Amino acid sequence: MDAALLEVREVTKRFPGVLANDKVSMSLESGEIVALLGENGAGKSTLMNVVYGLLSPDGGELYYEGHPVKVRSPRHAIDLGIGMVHQHFMLVEPLTVTENIVLGNEPTKIAGVIDFSTARKAVAEISKRYGLAVDPDAVIRDLSVGMQQRVEILKALYRGAKILILDEPTAVLTPQEVRELFKVVRSLVDEGLAVVFITHKLEEVMAVADRVVVMRDGRVVGEARPSETDMAGLARMMVGRDVVFRVEKKPSVRGETILEVDGLEVLDERRLEAVRGMSFDVCAGEVVALAGVSGNGQTELVEALTGLRRPAAGSVRLSGKDITHASARQSIEAGVSHVPEDRHRRGMVLEFDLAENMILGDHRLEPFSRHGVMKPTEIARVTEERVAAYDVRTPSIRVLGGALSGGNQQKLVLARELGRDPKLLIAAQPTRGLDVGAIEFVHQQILAERDSGKGVLLVSLELEEVQGLADRILVVYEGRIVKEFAAGEASDEDLGLYMTGGGGDKFAESTEVSVKGLGT
Amino acid sequence: MERAGKASVTHRLYGLLEQIAPPLVSVVIALAISSLIIWVVGYDPVRAFSALFDGAFGGPRQIGETMLRSTPLIFTGLAVAYGFRAGLFNIGAEGQLFMGGLVAAWLGVALAGLPTMVIVPIILVAGAAAGMAWAFIPALLKARVGAHEVITTMMFTFIARYIVSWLVTGPLKAPGQIPQTVQLPAESMLPKFTDILPELGTGRAHLGFVVGIALAVVVWWVLKHTTLGYEARAVGFNPWASETGGISVSLTTVKSLCLSGALAATAGVTEVIGLHGRLFDQFSAGFGFTGIAVALLARNNPLAVIMTAMLFGALSAGSGTMQLQADVPSKVVFIIQGLVVFLVAAQQLAVWLLRPFKARGGVENA
Ligand SMILES: Nc1ncnc2c1ncn2[C@@H]1O[C@H](COP(=O)(O)OP(=O)(O)O)[C@@H](O)[C@H]1O
Ligand SMILES: [Mg+2]
């Protein structure tokens, strides 16, 4: 029997207070894609950082091509043929693609002068061989995230990687880029490489993996072939209990109109028109989803509705009251709650503890303060209550917001925004970066809000989320609403078509291309 | 998924230790290096430091001198610390201090005849208001057009110093050779401790010290227990989240810098009505700038500012005795001060430089 390309045996890694890897074993063969699946904090990155020589294990062994090895450093890993692309790229932004790829391994002419023509040729060659088209002379900082990732992959290939580890590679990509990446990964294994694909997304496992290793709480809890299992089975392994994907949804009971947006126009930072005349409304007891590809005016729309950006034209009314030019504070006080798309930047203050974060936006109001003096006991009491009600897992409410995991941070934001009992909830990409357990929770909360007679405006890039939660779907494209669907009326393909500018007659020409591009 | 749960008491104790340890280590290292320097240039470090200590705490008069010299540093330290908490670097505390001193010297004469209990509070409030006004324009420039406060408050420091320079050599000059204002009448002065209880024997120390401690407690309370302080800290940490939470970032900036200016100006007021009794060109030994070091060493904690201001005050009070008794030039104290500041700054710089890496780790585990 042939030895595996890489074998991890009983690797243990401890951090202060955390057993990140507990006797983890797995193996990897040439020509296969192994997905490493697990919730955030399960220990996936830690394990692969051990393999890549970034962390030294507290116990266990690594076998490479049948021989025991101690990977001392990433440099050593690279020499062995192990490459890794981290979630955060390690590229030199002002340099070109070629320069970045050969950095540290430059072909030289006499006297150490870098031989750029040879370098370019070598880069062009591997980029062609693996079907990773990229302009070798482009400067990194001008490239999209997807392209930068491609450069990272090329860098590993250029150094002769036989194993490529990708740590949550899709987290930063658009759906189109994800599909592209899957093709690339497939072509790599066709060329004989082995790929470890770290993810917490089940669909990705089903779409790309040959084999999946599931981790939970630092241990390997199962292994499977996607063809022999289903998402529910994987989810159960990963979370340790049954998970509902499509949250049960009662029929919507529509009440009076809560939000009325009329002819709204909003400019972006560059003073270009990002929202070009949107009109729609949201009623009590319904979830209206704004579906669209990122960058089609959603961010600016949400900022305008929440008082963070002044609209250039049009009007916004909340329960009949004009809030077009309301400040963020007035908007909150009028009854608009906002779950921002960027948790760390807008959603919370990472340096504040949970109690301080819980009152952000309500800190001037009773019961949290009176005449400008805060009431610590009340603040603590309400925080404890909400932390319990929204299942924010934390040792204490005095822990800093930045110390929570992403899912718990989002629960904290939800607890705050829903806890103040708003009329309207505006949730922008509320499940971005969360794992299935947390997604399920967030979805349940959003629907509960709807069922209690609130209006919900959901902005999402995830078709599944839109389809699962919405009572009405508005498709946005280039700052306009191009189509409205009732729940269940549109297929993913229909939505995709309109989201990319197809669908209407005047788009007839681009339609074909888009349909092809979207083929799943 | 979660870190091991800790009882919140140990959690807090640990947090406190984590806060106190680094500045303490800086001070100890600074003293060690200074000893080495003193020894290398041929003096006895043990004698030098015991003389220094003697000069700072050896008796009531010495303790009084330490209190006297800490007083302006408490105010400027608080001023800079409050600014930092709101994400502002008020490098121009010195200028605000000058405006406070100016108003004190003027009102001290203008209000002469009223009882001390009336004059002194008025001067304190008016002086603080002057500092507030002096910080208002840089604050407005920051809020409106984003002009950086490091540049603008510094510019305003130059302006303040030249105004005072001009006034004490011209319009407000007292008769005689020396460019200074007239001596304030006794009723305009902050009482000394010995005015109240002569047995104390604390020399020149005045009630400004008590005002300083009281203000430190007030600033601590404002930061921790009022919406004003909450908003300042929120904006200091994360202006975007603050904005989303309905906090006006520009208004908070203006309020915070003005408050910082008021605190800094109080240093000028107490120097004039507590110590000198008049205004002259050199009435501040760069207290506004030393305040930056005081705040940094205190890690912007208002209560810790009392301690760090007293450390700097003690160094300054003891330096004369060190020169007299151990023959060590009093300037050596500047080396110690410089080392403390350098080590604290270096440590904060290291934290600051490491921040992106910490943040990166945090995001990856998000
Ligand atoms: N450098 C570190 N220091 C301390 N704890 C860490 C460190 N890196 C990871 N951890 C902890 O180890 C556990 C596993 O983390 P990680 O491997 O990043 O999980 P995953 O990649 O599966 O999301 C988590 O509890 C995390 O907080
Ligand atoms: Mg990870």
Side-chain angles (χ1 to χ4, degrees):
Chain A
M1 191 178 104
D2 256 3
L5 179 56
L6 176 76
E7 198 182 338
V8 176
R9 262 191 223 161
E10 311 226 311
V11 161
T12 297
K13 177 72 196 173
R14 247 178 233 102
F15 290 116
V18 187
L19 190 53
N21 282 169
D22 184 8
K23 297 204 176 136
V24 175
S25 302
M26 67 173 282
S27 69
L28 186 65
E29 306 281 351
S30 293
E32 70 168 351
I33 303 173
V34 171
L36 194 53
L37 176 72
E39 290 189 291
N40 285 319
K44 310 178 295 288
S45 297
T46 302
L47 181 66
M48 285 304 130
N49 283 335
V50 166
V51 170
Y52 190 55
L54 270 172
L55 295 173
S56 63
D58 298 318
E61 292 103 47
L62 299 179
Y63 291 82
Y64 188 75
E65 294 179 328
H67 307 290
V69 285
K70 268 189 117 54
V71 186
R72 292 180 303 270
S73 64
R75 181 88 228 176
H76 185 200
I78 291 162
D79 291 343
L80 286 170
I82 303 172
M84 180 158 176
V85 177
H86 285 89
Q87 205 166 328
H88 298 272
F89 305 147
M90 314 211 168
L91 297 170
V92 187
E93 299 225 318
L95 297 187
T96 66
V97 169
T98 304
E99 286 164 339
N100 265 283
I101 291 174
V102 302
L103 198 70
N105 252 333
E106 308 87 353
T108 48
K109 294 193 273 205
I110 27 170
V113 179
I114 298 179
D115 183 353
F116 275 107
S117 64
T118 309
R120 286 196 63 219
K121 234 183 277 161
V123 170
E125 196 188 312
I126 39 172
S127 118
K128 194 157 149 238
R129 174 151 145 229
Y130 295 104
L132 283 153
V134 55
D135 173 5
D137 298 318
V139 174
I140 295 299
R141 117 172 112 234
D142 300 335
L143 295 180
S144 68
V145 179
M147 273 298 158
Q148 294 190 12
Q149 186 177 61
R150 212 167 250 210
V151 175
E152 281 278 17
I153 295 174
L154 280 171
K155 204 163 100 185
L157 296 175
Y158 175 80
R159 292 159 175 212
K162 292 189 218 161
I163 296 176
L164 186 64
I165 302 165
L166 303 171
D167 194 352
E168 306 223 2
T170 60
V172 291
L173 302 183
T174 64
Q176 286 81 352
E177 288 172 327
V178 170
R179 280 190 289 272
E180 282 294 306
L181 175 70
F182 286 174
K183 275 191 231 151
V184 166
V185 170
R186 189 42 71 192
S187 78
L188 293 181
V189 294
D190 288 345
E191 290 283 330
L193 267 83
V195 174
V196 178
F197 193 99
I198 301 182
T199 183
H200 60 243
K201 296 191 184 150
L202 299 165
E203 314 89 73
E204 292 176 359
V205 174
M206 302 305 283
V208 78
D210 297 314
R211 199 151 58 80
V212 50
V213 173
V214 186
M215 287 186 73
R216 170 160 34 101
D217 290 337
R219 277 185 287 269
V220 168
V221 290
E223 219 187 291
R225 292 192 177 275
S227 49
E228 292 158 12
T229 179
D230 60 2
M231 301 232 287
L234 289 176
R236 199 176 310 115
M237 265 196 255
M238 171 168 148
V239 185
R241 62 178 166 82
D242 280 320
V243 177
V244 191
F245 290 103
R246 276 234 173 139
V247 195
E248 281 297 314
K249 204 168 89 175
K250 291 185 219 139
S252 156
V253 186
R254 255 172 90 161
E256 81 278 24
T257 307
I258 301 261
L259 177 73
E260 291 165 86
V261 178
D262 192 20
L264 196 69
E265 293 175 19
V266 189
L267 306 182
D268 66 13
E269 269 82 34
R270 295 162 298 163
R271 312 211 59 72
L272 302 176
E273 211 173 34
V275 176
R276 309 170 182 215
M278 284 198 195
S279 301
F280 62 92
D281 45 39
V282 179
C283 294
E286 72 167 348
V287 176
V288 174
L290 217 54
V293 177
S294 167
N296 278 285
Q298 298 99 318
T299 306
E300 289 79 6
L301 173 70
V302 168
E303 288 182 358
L305 296 181
T306 51
L308 294 170
R309 193 181 279 271
R310 293 206 156 256
S315 75
V316 182
R317 299 163 77 77
L318 188 80
S319 296
K321 191 175 147 232
D322 184 52
I323 58 160
T324 316
H325 298 290
S327 67
R329 178 174 173 178
Q330 288 163 334
S331 155
I332 293 170
E333 283 167 8
V336 180
S337 269
H338 176 200
V339 176
E341 61 181 345
D342 192 335
R343 256 192 309 280
H344 291 169
R345 192 172 143 98
R346 283 212 179 267
M348 59 190 306
V349 178
L350 297 176
E351 298 88 347
F352 267 180
D353 68 23
L354 303 197
E356 288 171 316
N357 268 302
M358 191 62 85
I359 61 170
L360 185 63
D362 303 315
H363 55 277
R364 301 175 211 84
L365 305 175
E366 302 251 22
F368 302 133
S369 73
R370 193 168 184 183
H371 306 310
V373 179
M374 310 244 265
K375 296 182 166 177
T377 13
E378 280 299 296
I379 294 171
R381 185 183 60 76
V382 173
T383 305
E384 295 281 6
E385 256 172 43
R386 291 187 189 168
V387 160
Y390 287 83
D391 189 32
V392 182
R393 304 222 189 114
T394 174
S396 133
I397 61 166
R398 295 297 156 204
V399 162
L400 298 189
L404 295 185
S405 70
N408 283 306
Q409 288 176 339
Q410 191 69 328
K411 286 181 193 169
L412 177 78
V413 173
L414 269 179
R416 178 182 73 217
E417 297 300 318
L418 299 182
R420 75 165 67 104
D421 196 24
K423 290 186 181 137
L424 174 74
L425 171 69
I426 299 180
Q429 300 196 45
T431 57
R432 183 157 86 171
L434 304 191
D435 46 52
V436 273
I439 291 175
E440 180 191 14
F441 182 85
V442 171
H443 285 175
Q444 277 166 351
Q445 291 301 323
I446 288 177
L447 287 179
E449 206 60 9
R450 174 195 84 150
D451 293 340
S452 70
K454 310 293 170 58
V456 179
L457 180 64
L458 169 74
V459 178
S460 180
L461 310 178
E462 309 269 342
L463 291 186
E464 201 182 338
E465 181 163 273
V466 168
Q467 295 275 31
L469 296 182
D471 299 306
R472 276 192 296 141
I473 300 170
L474 309 175
V475 186
V476 288
Y477 177 68
E478 293 192 336
R480 293 193 182 85
I481 293 171
V482 291
K483 185 74 182 169
E484 176 171 343
F485 290 108
E489 194 182 34
S491 66
D492 284 2
E493 282 68 30
D494 294 337
L495 289 178
L497 190 58
Y498 283 97
M499 277 164 60
T500 50
D505 287 338
K506 65 177 170 175
F507 299 109
E509 214 171 291
S510 57
T511 305
E512 278 245 289
V513 185
S514 309
V515 176
K516 269 190 219 141
L518 272 162
T520 33
Chain B
M1 259 176 79
E2 301 304 328
R3 303 280 165 86
K6 287 182 201 122
S8 101
V9 179
T10 46
H11 203 80
R12 281 194 192 185
L13 269 180
Y14 180 74
L16 193 69
L17 196 71
E18 207 175 27
Q19 290 231 317
I20 292 178
L24 221 54
V25 170
S26 298
V27 172
V28 171
I29 296 178
L31 291 180
I33 298 178
S34 314
S35 308
L36 200 70
I37 293 174
I38 292 172
W39 179 69
V40 166
V41 294
Y43 303 102
D44 178 353
V46 178
R47 265 185 67 199
F49 279 113
S50 61
L52 182 75
F53 188 84
D54 246 20
F57 301 106
R61 201 185 52 76
Q62 285 79 355
I63 293 175
E65 195 63 17
T66 295
M67 285 157 70
L68 176 80
R69 296 189 186 221
S70 331
T71 303
L73 298 178
I74 296 179
F75 297 115
T76 55
L78 287 174
V80 177
Y82 192 86
F84 273 135
R85 293 296 279 271
L88 297 164
F89 188 0
N90 182 9
I91 204 174
E94 185 79 357
Q96 295 135 22
L97 178 154
F98 265 74
M99 294 322 271
L102 176 59
V103 165
W106 167 58
L107 281 183
V109 173
L111 300 177
L114 295 171
T116 302
M117 293 285 282
V118 178
I119 298 189
V120 166
I122 293 180
I123 293 181
L124 278 169
V125 171
M132 208 178 245
W134 205 244
F136 178 69
I137 299 165
L140 204 64
L141 286 172
K142 167 105 183 181
R144 284 267 162 244
V145 296
H148 203 288
E149 72 278 7
V150 166
I151 310 290
T152 52
T153 59
M154 195 66 212
M155 292 302 181
F156 269 67
T157 298
F158 289 123
I159 299 174
R161 296 192 64 150
Y162 286 127
I163 290 178
V164 166
S165 231
W166 167 66
L167 286 173
V168 299
T169 48
L172 293 183
K173 184 167 167 291
Q177 295 292 310
I178 311 162
Q180 58 184 13
T181 60
V182 293
Q183 178 72 41
L184 299 186
E187 68 267 22
S188 301
M189 294 290 286
L190 256 177
K192 297 188 185 1
F193 290 109
T194 50
D195 293 342
I196 303 161
L197 264 182
E199 311 77 88
L200 282 176
T202 46
R204 303 194 286 168
H206 53 82
L207 287 181
F209 184 73
V210 178
V211 177
I213 289 178
L215 267 188
V217 174
V218 169
V219 170
W220 170 83
W221 182 80
V222 164
L223 277 172
K224 197 167 164 61
H225 289 292
T226 69
T227 51
L228 181 73
Y230 176 87
E231 295 193 347
R233 288 185 296 127
V235 169
F237 283 134
N238 183 343
W240 298 280
S242 305
E243 185 190 23
T244 312
I247 299 171
S248 163
V249 174
S250 46
L251 195 61
T252 304
T253 299
V254 170
K255 283 190 209 162
S256 305
L257 198 52
C258 286
L259 227 116
S260 174
L263 289 165
T266 311
V269 173
T270 55
E271 283 298 283
V272 168
I273 65 169
L275 178 63
H276 303 301
R278 53 165 40 118
L279 183 67
F280 49 95
D281 230 357
Q282 305 291 332
F283 86 112
S284 162
F287 299 131
F289 299 108
T290 313
I292 298 169
V294 168
L296 280 177
L297 189 61
R299 299 192 137 197
N300 305 321
N301 177 330
L303 299 180
V305 161
I306 301 175
M307 306 305 297
T308 57
M310 284 192 72
L311 172 73
F312 280 76
L315 285 174
S316 151
S319 61
T321 314
M322 183 172 73
Q323 180 156 22
L324 278 177
Q325 292 184 4
D327 229 14
V328 181
S330 62
K331 298 282 183 285
V332 164
V333 160
F334 292 138
I335 300 183
I336 304 176
Q337 280 192 5
L339 281 168
V340 172
V341 174
F342 175 77
L343 289 167
V344 172
Q347 166 216 329
Q348 304 239 328
L349 198 68
V351 170
W352 185 74
L353 284 174
L354 288 172
R355 217 163 55 157
F357 297 96
K358 264 195 159 171
R360 181 174 291 183
V363 170
E364 217 162 345
N365 291 327

